[in-house]
Amino acid sequence: RSSFVALCSRLRVAGFDGPRLTGSGSAVFASSKNDGELKAAIKRFDGGERLYAVRSASVGTRLVAAP
C-alpha cells in the first residue's frame, strides 16, 4: 500500500492526472491532457518504474514504450 501511495505521489508531482490501479491491481495508470503535457511529465517523473504512453486509436489502442 505505501509503495502505491508513493508512486501515485511521484506521478502527480511529475504532472500526471489521477493515478489509479487497474481493476486487477497489477498496474497503475494516469492520464495527461495532451502529448505535450505527457512528454513533459515523463521527463519530470522521478522513479525507476517503466512508463508506457497509451493513446486511443480509431480501433483499439496503441501501446508505445516511453524513452
Side-chain angles (χ1 to χ4, degrees):
R1 169 124 166 90
S2 63
S3 60
F4 168 69
V5 171
L7 175 57
C8 287
S9 176
R10 290 184 285 124
L11 287 166
R12 283 188 196 98
V13 167
F16 291 101
D17 297 325
R20 300 278 189 267
L21 280 173
T22 59
S24 65
S26 62
V28 175
F29 67 95
S31 61
S32 67
K33 291 178 180 56
N34 57 52
D35 280 351
E37 287 188 20
L38 172 66
K39 290 175 184 174
I42 288 171
K43 287 180 182 178
R44 286 191 300 261
F45 179 69
D46 181 22
E49 294 84 0
R50 188 149 188 83
L51 301 178
Y52 295 90
V54 179
R55 292 179 186 85
S56 295
S58 58
V59 177
T61 58
R62 188 178 90 187
L63 179 65
V64 178

